[in-house]
């Protein structure tokens, strides 16, 4: 009993069996969070690399398309065959030959020929434009139209009164 007074020790509490293995579960949970964070970082790095590659490919394709368009425009103007600037006489000859071609053909022949030469609009373009132009963001309510009309009328009346 003297030893217990000189060296007081805390009596051991009984350990709840549910809480007995919580240290192990906490370690597993911390490991899982660290793994999740590491995987998220790796995924973000991969996503950034893929995004960067896609942007580079888009720029490459855009440059290729622009180069192709420049080449096709140059071919249409026959710039690659001669000088890059047409003289007035060359321009006049081209205009006269086109005018004589149009004079020699009827309107329906020209339209049919134009349809075969020029690319037509994409299918559904008319529907797309209709939906775009008649979208709710473009429509104005009756009250708003009436208010604007009345404002214009009032302003016109004021200007007429100032003029007289």
């Amino acid at each position: 009993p003297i030893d217990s007074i000189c060296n007081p020790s805390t009596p051991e509490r009984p350990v709840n069996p549910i809480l007995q293995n919580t240290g192990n579960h906490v370690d597993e949970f911390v490991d899982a969070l660290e793994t999740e964070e590491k995987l998220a970082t790796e995924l973000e790095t991969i996503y950034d690399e893929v995004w960067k590659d896609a942007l580079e490919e888009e720029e490459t394709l855009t440059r290729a398309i622009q180069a192709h368009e420049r080449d096709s425009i140059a071919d249409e103007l026959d710039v690659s065959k001669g000088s890059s600037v047409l003289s007035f006489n060359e321009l006049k000859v081209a205009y006269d030959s086109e005018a004589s071609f149009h004079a020699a053909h009827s309107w329906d022949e020209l339209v049919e020929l134009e349809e075969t030469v020029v690319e037509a609009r994409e299918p559904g373009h008319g529907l797309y434009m209709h939906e775009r132009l008649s979208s709710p963001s473009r429509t104005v309510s009756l009250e708003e139209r009436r208010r604007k009309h009345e404002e214009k009328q009032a302003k016109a009346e004021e200007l007429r009164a100032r003029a007289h």
Side-chain angles (χ1 to χ4, degrees):
I2 288 271
D3 279 342
S4 66
I5 294 173
C6 293
N7 294 326
S9 63
T10 57
E12 288 196 30
R13 294 183 176 168
V15 178
N16 187 340
I18 295 174
L19 299 176
Q20 189 171 9
N21 293 325
T22 56
N24 191 20
H25 292 299
V26 169
D27 291 340
E28 289 176 3
F29 183 70
V30 169
D31 290 342
L33 286 176
E34 289 173 355
T35 303
E36 181 183 8
E37 187 175 321
K38 186 173 83 172
L39 290 174
T41 304
E42 289 177 16
L43 183 63
E44 187 175 333
T45 304
I46 291 170
Y47 177 77
D48 289 343
E49 289 174 6
V50 168
W51 186 253
K52 180 181 168 189
D53 291 344
L55 289 176
E56 289 175 0
E57 184 175 352
E58 179 186 18
E59 289 175 9
T60 303
L61 291 173
T62 302
R63 283 192 296 264
I65 289 170
Q66 289 172 347
H68 177 71
E69 287 175 352
R70 278 194 306 269
D71 292 345
S72 66
I73 290 171
D75 290 343
E76 288 177 10
L77 296 175
D78 293 327
V79 172
S80 60
K81 294 180 183 176
S83 66
S84 61
V85 178
L86 295 176
S87 69
F88 177 75
N89 289 333
E90 292 171 334
L91 191 59
K92 185 176 184 310
V93 167
Y95 176 78
D96 289 341
S97 65
E98 189 174 333
S100 65
F101 176 79
H102 283 272
H105 293 79
S106 67
W107 177 252
D108 61 337
E109 291 173 336
L110 291 174
V111 169
E112 288 177 8
L113 181 64
E114 187 71 19
E115 287 175 353
T116 60
V117 174
V118 177
E119 294 179 18
R121 283 191 203 137
E122 296 177 13
H125 179 75
L127 178 62
Y128 165 75
M129 290 303 295
H130 174 72
E131 289 175 353
R132 184 171 158 214
L133 293 174
S134 61
S135 71
S137 65
R138 295 180 57 90
T139 59
V140 180
S141 67
L142 179 62
E143 295 83 21
E144 183 69 18
R145 285 189 303 215
R146 181 173 287 139
R147 185 186 61 79
K148 285 183 181 180
H149 176 71
E150 289 172 357
E151 285 176 1
K152 287 180 183 179
Q153 292 296 322
K155 185 175 180 181
E157 188 66 36
E158 179 184 326
L159 290 174
R160 282 193 290 270
R162 271 196 238 161
H164 290 302

